[in-house]
Amino acid sequence: MLIADLASADGGERLAREALAQFRRVDVLVNNASGYYPVRFGEVSAEQWDDLLGSNLRGHFFLSQALGEELRSRGGSIVNIGDIFASRARRGYPVYTIAKAGLHAMTRSLALELAPSVRVNTIAPGSIFWPEHLADDSDPEVAEARRKIMRSIPMQTQGDADQVADLCWFLAVEASYMTGQTVRMDGGRFLNPA
C-alpha cells in the first residue's frame, strides 16, 4: 500500500513516482482522496482553505499531471470522485464546495488536455456513507436529520460503496466513448429542490 499527503506541495508527484516504481505501470487513476468538514464563512482560515483545496483538488491535479504520460502510453483513464454538492452548494461547507466544483471543472479540462488517448470522468455521489456528524442515529436530532435526507432521495435509500465501485469500473474500463462527463449517483436527490 502507498500513502501520501495529497494536500502537501509534492504529495501527488511523490505518489506517482512510488506507484510507478512499485507497480511498473498505471492504467487507471481513481482520485478519491477527500477532506470533508464544515467551515463557517467569515471564519475560514488559510490553513483550512489549503487543507480542503489540497486534499480535494490540488493533489488530484498534480497526481494526474505526474501520471499523464504513463496514462497516455497505456490508453488509460482517470476517474475523479466528486460530490453532488459541487453543483448545488451546501450551506456551511463553502470551501469544500469550491474544491469539489474545481474537481468537476478539472475533469472537463483534463478530458481535453489528455484526449484522445486518456478518458477523464467524474462520479458525483450523493448519500453513500453518513458523515461523522450523522453517524450516531441514537441521538434524536441526528435520527431526524437522517430521515430528512432520506425523504429528499426519490429512491428512498442510500447508495453503497459497491455501487460506486461498479460505476467506477464502468467509467474506467467500459465507457470507451465517454470523457469529460460527471455522472450523478444520488438516487435522484438532485431532482428535489430542497
Side-chain angles (χ1 to χ4, degrees), residues 77 119 121 167-179:
S77 179
R119 294 175 301 99
N121 292 290
L167 181 55
C168 188
W169 173 267
F170 171 75
L171 291 173
V173 177
E174 298 175 9
S176 61
Y177 198 58
M178 267 181 88
T179 194

Side-chain angles (χ1 to χ4, degrees), residues 32 81 123 125 128 159-169 185:
N32 186 36
I81 306 299
I123 298 170
I128 305 298
D160 63 44
D162 288 340
Q163 292 166 325
V164 175
D166 289 345
L167 181 55
C168 188
W169 173 267
M185 184 175 205

Side-chain angles (χ1 to χ4, degrees), residues 4-194:
D5 177 4
L6 293 180
S8 72
D10 67 341
E13 292 94 340
R14 190 174 64 251
L15 181 59
R17 285 192 305 272
E18 291 173 6
L20 287 170
Q22 182 169 337
F23 303 117
R24 304 282 184 228
R25 66 183 286 162
V26 174
D27 296 271
V28 175
L29 170 60
V30 178
N31 283 313
N32 186 36
S34 178
Y36 176 77
Y37 52 86
V39 289
R40 185 183 305 258
F41 181 74
E43 299 174 10
V44 176
S45 70
E47 292 79 19
Q48 291 168 323
W49 176 269
D50 290 344
D51 180 49
L52 287 167
L53 267 286
S55 64
N56 287 290
L57 181 59
R58 177 194 170 111
H60 301 332
F61 177 84
F62 285 104
L63 181 55
S64 299
Q65 179 174 269
L67 290 172
E69 288 307 312
E70 173 68 10
L71 291 166
R72 277 187 175 116
S73 74
R74 305 284 179 198
S77 179
I78 297 173
V79 179
N80 296 313
I81 306 299
D83 194 301
I84 60 170
F85 291 112
S87 58
R88 189 168 130 197
R90 179 163 186 222
R91 185 179 303 277
Y93 292 79
V95 182
Y96 174 81
T97 300
I98 291 164
K100 287 299 188 181
L103 183 66
H104 289 217
M106 184 184 95
T107 296
R108 296 185 300 274
S109 182
L110 293 187
L112 288 174
E113 296 294 332
L114 295 170
S117 53
V118 179
R119 294 175 301 99
V120 185
N121 292 290
T122 291
I123 298 170
S127 185
I128 305 298
F129 298 107
W130 292 115
E132 193 173 299
H133 70 282
L134 294 177
D136 179 15
D137 69 348
S138 65
D139 178 337
E141 287 182 26
V142 168
E144 179 52 35
R146 285 169 62 157
R147 283 191 292 274
K148 181 179 178 185
I149 291 169
M150 294 306 290
R151 286 190 300 268
S152 73
I153 301 171
M155 292 185 73
Q156 297 290 296
T157 186
Q158 276 187 294
D160 63 44
D162 288 340
Q163 292 166 325
V164 175
D166 289 345
L167 181 55
C168 188
W169 173 267
F170 171 75
L171 291 173
V173 177
E174 298 175 9
S176 61
Y177 198 58
M178 267 181 88
T179 194
Q181 299 301 308
T182 295
V183 181
R184 286 188 192 99
M185 184 175 205
D186 66 355
R189 190 173 179 186
F190 78 97
L191 298 168
N192 282 324

